[in-house]
């Protein structure tokens, strides 16, 4: 019986080494028997960027041979995205943080000043007991010594997180849904302010 192959878009994701795969498996194995109560103590956080003009590859057109560059078959977009909005948020099984719009380049001190001190820390104190686990990825501002010292000084338990593992973080589904909703609106934003 012949195998039927079909053309598909390739998966766009990180290049995972054996070490990455092993660390992901180990992280999941340790947590596989966590009860819902234990997961309820996690605050999952991350950043995402949304471009004003968006070419995600989901749009399809029907055209005849030789019509590739016909006006009706070209989707115009700004090669640099027309600007973008960079945001941070956190979710748990019970609640969500406010959405923080990040301006400019975010280094460790800016992360502390715009996210951790004014938003994440008060949220943790209001919504969790001492068993709370704060999850963030391994971005440089998150793992910088000044950031980890700030979290330690404020008695925030930070979970280890394997490198290149955004698919282990449930907030990735929130970002995907938010992007789909924004880009499916009939009146899409035309600039960063909108």
């Amino acid at each position: 019986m012949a195998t039927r192959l079909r053309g598909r878009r390739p998966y766009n994701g990180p290049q995972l080494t054996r070490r990455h795969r092993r660390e992901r498996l180990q992280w999941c194995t340790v947590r596989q028997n966590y009860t819902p109560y234990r997961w309820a103590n996690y605050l999952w956080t991350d950043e995402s960027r949304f471009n004003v003009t968006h070419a995600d590859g989901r749009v399809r057109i029907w055209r005849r041979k030789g019509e590739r560059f016909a006006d009706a078959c070209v989707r115009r977009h700004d090669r640099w995205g027309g600007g973008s909005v960079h945001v941070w948020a956190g979710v748990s099984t019970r609640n969500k943080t406010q959405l923080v719009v990040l301006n400019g380049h975010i280094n460790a001190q800016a992360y502390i000043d715009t996210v951790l001190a004014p938003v994440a820390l008060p949220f943790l104190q209001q919504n969790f007991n001492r068993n709370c686990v704060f999850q963030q990825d391994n971005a440089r501002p998150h793992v910088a010594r000044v950031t980890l010292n700030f979290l330690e000084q404020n008695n925030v338990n930070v979970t280890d997180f394997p490198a290149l593992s955004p698919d282990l973080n449930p907030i990735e589904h929130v970002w995907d849904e938010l992007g789909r909703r924004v880009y499916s609106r009939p009146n899409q934003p035309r600039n960063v302010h909108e």
Side-chain angles (χ1 to χ4, degrees):
M1 186 160 118
T3 302
R4 295 180 187 224
L5 299 178
R6 294 183 182 191
R8 299 279 190 249
R9 288 190 316 255
Y11 168 73
N12 290 321
Q15 183 72 37
L16 299 176
T17 64
R18 276 194 180 136
R19 181 180 63 91
H20 292 131
R21 293 170 202 260
R22 186 178 62 245
E23 288 174 357
R24 282 179 166 196
L25 179 60
Q26 182 179 22
W27 192 91
C28 292
T29 301
V30 166
R31 292 160 179 82
Q32 72 181 344
N33 294 320
Y34 276 17
T35 64
Y37 175 77
R38 185 129 184 218
W39 284 118
N41 289 320
Y42 271 69
L43 177 63
W44 302 91
T45 69
D46 197 19
E47 300 88 19
S48 191
R49 183 176 306 276
F50 298 92
N51 291 331
V52 172
T53 57
H54 181 67
D56 67 357
R58 291 183 182 136
V59 173
R60 299 285 186 261
I61 61 159
W62 296 97
R63 63 178 168 86
R64 293 180 197 88
K65 189 173 182 173
E67 291 183 337
R68 181 176 185 188
F69 299 109
D71 285 344
C73 298
V74 174
R75 181 173 183 202
R76 289 168 181 76
H77 70 276
D78 185 329
R79 288 181 9 195
W80 293 275
S84 64
V85 177
H86 190 196
V87 296
W88 174 95
V91 295
S92 71
T93 59
R94 297 179 288 229
N95 213 336
K96 64 186 181 310
T97 67
Q98 69 186 60
L99 187 69
V100 178
V101 176
L102 304 172
N103 295 314
H105 177 71
I106 299 297
N107 60 24
Q109 193 59 53
Y111 179 57
I112 292 169
D113 294 341
T114 60
V115 172
L116 295 179
V119 179
L121 194 57
F123 181 85
L124 291 169
Q125 292 167 344
Q126 293 169 4
N127 293 282
F128 291 96
N129 59 28
R130 287 203 170 273
N131 296 327
C132 163
V133 179
F134 183 72
Q135 182 283 326
Q136 57 184 358
D137 60 22
N138 296 312
R140 287 188 180 160
H142 302 172
V143 296
R145 183 170 290 142
V146 66
T147 302
L148 296 178
N149 287 343
F150 173 85
L151 292 167
E152 184 178 337
Q153 290 167 1
N154 288 283
N155 299 314
V156 176
N157 299 322
V158 180
T159 187
D160 62 319
F161 203 63
L164 303 175
S165 294
D167 57 342
L168 297 178
N169 188 342
I171 200 170
E172 295 298 330
H173 301 289
V174 175
W175 295 138
D176 184 55
E177 181 64 23
L178 180 61
R180 288 174 189 269
R181 289 186 186 192
V182 168
Y183 299 126
S184 69
R185 294 176 64 183
N187 297 323
Q188 292 191 14
R190 293 167 297 190
N191 56 52
V192 171
H193 178 72
E194 288 180 5

